[in-house]
Amino acid sequence: MTRQFVPPIAARSSRVHRTVVPFEDRTGLVRMDRNEDVIGWEEHRLQEVLRQIDPTDLAAYHDADHVQAQIAQWLSVDSENVSITAGSSEAVQLVFETYLDEGGVVVALQPSYGLYEVFAAKCGGNIKGIPFDDELQIDVAAIVETIRGHSPSLVVIANPNQPTGSVLGIEDLRLLAEESLAVGAILLVDEAYSLFTPITALPLVGEFANVVVTQTFSKALGLAGLRFGYCVGDAARIVEINKLRPLTQSNSLALVVAEYVLDNLDWALERVDKIIEGREYLIARFREMELVTFDSHANFVLLKCVSLQDAQELVDEVRGRGFAIRGPLRGYPVDNFVRVTVAEIGIMRSFLSQNEESLRMHATTFG
């Protein structure tokens, strides 16, 4: 018989209100539900990488210095401005842990990446959310007003944002950097969907010592399974953030594959261009069908459904034809939406041709 035990729960854990949803079995489905690379790398590219892996990549700890230098060269910053992490989510968490104390305030978009609330709660901080409007746009003046009114420790902007797919321009980001600096706050720009838009806050790192940018190879570069990301900031900020990082950065296999990507950027970026083409094609086709959708600067497209039931039925019907999409989404302003991760045009055509009737039946139409 197991002896019963009720452990004392740490305060940081009891503050977190989160239900962990298990992964669904997606075997045999076209994976258009988690904003990953839908089809993965070409087989010959995979084989090239595998030939570069040797036993020490499995058995030994590896440092990230060489890849860090490659990242710095690619981004036109110094190596001391970069820290490699296990995906950008670890980088974001480290920024929260470094700059947010008990009772501190975080200003963030609402809705946005769900783990911001988890990270803030762990640190004992409070989030002041800035809501989107019905058109999935954000009022930058409202962000400024909140910064001035609450003197936050941290301002977090997912750019492009998830789940809305919207983006703030560089001048808006510069304004937020200035306003954050004026109250002594870090501006964290979470660019998990970088490369799907030309807009980036990286130029602000050289202008503002309070700006930290996080990016990842999970989305555009197709390495979600390997957990490779990084943050970029003023050298002093990187030293501060690195105090809390694990002993090793990312993992040895991720470092090998990331180096391959950086050595073959023309190929990698060509794949990104094809995903962007697929995104614009899908948005255009939805609009031709008079379905309510929105511009996106990420690798997904939103579609508004008539009701919660319609959204669920659409997800189920599409899945029955071999495609996994995300939904129903919950929370204003994306209630009753579904989300479709995009791929190259050929896959988008297949998705539409096999699901057009269901899309017309369940999606909201203009007018």
Side-chain angles (χ1 to χ4, degrees), residues 31 50 82 87 114 125 128 141 165 181 192 211 223 225 233 294 307-308 316 322 358 362 364 367:
R31 300 174 290 96
L50 292 177
V82 179
K128 299 293 182 182
L181 186 63
V211 172
L223 297 185
F294 296 86
S307 66
L308 178 66
D316 292 341
S358 292
H362 299 295
T364 302

Side-chain angles (χ1 to χ4, degrees), residues 164-186:
T164 62
S166 51
V167 69
L168 296 182
I170 187 64
E171 291 308 317
D172 288 332
L173 294 172
R174 180 173 282 107
L175 173 62
L176 297 183
E178 292 172 348
E179 295 290 338
S180 299
L181 186 63
V183 299
I186 293 290

Side-chain angles (χ1 to χ4, degrees), residues 259-304:
E259 183 174 350
Y260 178 87
V261 171
L262 294 164
D263 287 340
N264 295 273
L265 273 174
D266 288 345
W267 157 74
L269 297 179
E270 183 179 348
R271 296 183 81 251
V272 176
D273 288 342
K274 290 180 180 178
I275 294 171
I276 293 172
E277 290 173 1
R279 179 188 72 195
E280 299 310 302
Y281 171 81
L282 185 63
I283 292 171
R285 287 289 291 116
F286 278 169
R287 287 177 173 157
E288 287 174 9
M289 297 164 67
E290 299 186 337
L291 308 181
V292 176
T293 189
F294 296 86
D295 289 335
S296 173
H297 298 269
N299 68 334
F300 58 83
V301 173
L302 297 179
L303 184 67
K304 186 175 183 180

Side-chain angles (χ1 to χ4, degrees), residues 110-158:
Q110 190 176 47
S112 196
Y113 183 42
L115 283 180
Y116 297 157
E117 294 186 2
V118 173
F119 297 156
K122 284 174 64 178
C123 297
N126 303 296
I127 288 188
K128 299 293 182 182
I130 311 298
F132 287 81
D133 62 21
D134 291 341
E135 298 300 315
L136 308 189
Q137 298 302 307
I138 200 74
D139 183 357
V140 176
I143 306 177
V144 171
E145 182 179 352
T146 305
I147 293 171
R148 293 176 177 177
H150 293 277
S151 296
S153 304
L154 191 59
V155 178
V156 183
I157 304 295

Side-chain angles (χ1 to χ4, degrees), residues 8-312:
I9 302 298
R12 64 180 176 273
S13 180
S14 63
R15 289 191 296 256
V16 175
H17 302 286
R18 180 189 184 195
T19 300
V20 178
V21 180
F23 280 81
E24 293 182 308
D25 182 5
R26 299 178 294 167
T27 304
L29 299 176
V30 181
R31 300 174 290 96
M32 303 167 70
D33 59 334
R34 297 189 66 87
N35 299 344
E36 308 150 322
D37 184 323
V38 170
I39 59 173
W41 286 13
E42 300 90 334
E43 180 64 25
H44 77 277
R45 292 287 180 176
L46 174 61
Q47 294 305 319
E48 287 181 9
V49 170
L50 292 177
R51 286 193 291 271
Q52 295 181 16
I53 296 172
D54 64 44
T56 63
D57 292 316
L58 303 181
Y61 297 114
H62 285 238
D63 69 63
D65 289 354
H66 179 65
V67 176
Q68 182 171 313
Q70 284 184 293
I71 293 285
Q73 182 178 17
W74 179 34
L75 303 180
S76 299
V77 298
D78 292 332
S79 188
E80 65 182 4
N81 298 122
V82 179
S83 181
I84 304 296
T85 56
S88 60
S89 57
E90 182 182 62
V92 170
Q93 180 172 339
L94 288 171
V95 171
F96 271 74
E97 292 176 348
T98 302
Y99 300 108
L100 183 63
D101 263 329
E102 188 86 22
V105 172
V106 179
V107 173
L109 308 180
Q110 190 176 47
S112 196
Y113 183 42
L115 283 180
Y116 297 157
E117 294 186 2
V118 173
F119 297 156
K122 284 174 64 178
C123 297
N126 303 296
I127 288 188
K128 299 293 182 182
I130 311 298
F132 287 81
D133 62 21
D134 291 341
E135 298 300 315
L136 308 189
Q137 298 302 307
I138 200 74
D139 183 357
V140 176
I143 306 177
V144 171
E145 182 179 352
T146 305
I147 293 171
R148 293 176 177 177
H150 293 277
S151 296
S153 304
L154 191 59
V155 178
V156 183
I157 304 295
N159 207 54
N161 186 58
Q162 198 281 121
T164 62
S166 51
V167 69
L168 296 182
I170 187 64
E171 291 308 317
D172 288 332
L173 294 172
R174 180 173 282 107
L175 173 62
L176 297 183
E178 292 172 348
E179 295 290 338
S180 299
L181 186 63
V183 299
I186 293 290
L187 173 64
L188 169 59
V189 186
D190 181 0
E191 296 186 349
Y193 295 92
S194 63
L195 300 183
F196 294 119
T197 174
I199 297 170
T200 176
L202 286 173
L204 301 181
V205 169
E207 297 180 39
F208 297 90
N210 65 320
V211 172
V212 177
V213 178
T214 57
Q215 297 185 345
T216 180
F217 277 27
S218 293
K219 308 298 185 183
L221 299 176
L223 297 185
L226 285 181
R227 313 307 302 130
F228 181 87
Y230 49 91
C231 59
V232 183
D234 182 84
R237 302 293 79 74
I238 297 301
V239 170
E240 293 159 357
I241 292 166
N242 280 345
K243 286 175 64 178
L244 297 180
R245 79 163 204 231
L247 178 63
T248 57
Q249 297 169 277
S250 189
N251 64 79
S252 58
L253 295 182
L255 294 172
V256 171
V257 181
E259 183 174 350
Y260 178 87
V261 171
L262 294 164
D263 287 340
N264 295 273
L265 273 174
D266 288 345
W267 157 74
L269 297 179
E270 183 179 348
R271 296 183 81 251
V272 176
D273 288 342
K274 290 180 180 178
I275 294 171
I276 293 172
E277 290 173 1
R279 179 188 72 195
E280 299 310 302
Y281 171 81
L282 185 63
I283 292 171
R285 287 289 291 116
F286 278 169
R287 287 177 173 157
E288 287 174 9
M289 297 164 67
E290 299 186 337
L291 308 181
V292 176
T293 189
F294 296 86
D295 289 335
S296 173
H297 298 269
N299 68 334
F300 58 83
V301 173
L302 297 179
L303 184 67
K304 186 175 183 180
C305 293
V306 175
S307 66
L308 178 66
Q309 180 177 342
D310 279 284
Q312 186 62 63

Side-chain angles (χ1 to χ4, degrees), residues 289-350:
M289 297 164 67
E290 299 186 337
L291 308 181
V292 176
T293 189
F294 296 86
D295 289 335
S296 173
H297 298 269
N299 68 334
F300 58 83
V301 173
L302 297 179
L303 184 67
K304 186 175 183 180
C305 293
V306 175
S307 66
L308 178 66
Q309 180 177 342
D310 279 284
Q312 186 62 63
E313 289 178 0
L314 178 59
V315 170
D316 292 341
E317 290 172 17
V318 165
R319 190 180 185 91
R321 299 185 187 101
F323 298 87
I325 63 173
R326 188 77 163 184
L329 304 185
R330 304 293 182 90
Y332 178 82
V334 293
D335 276 318
N336 308 335
F337 281 58
V338 297
R339 189 186 72 202
V340 182
T341 304
V342 296
E344 61 183 44
I345 287 177
I347 294 175
M348 295 297 93
R349 286 197 179 107
S350 177

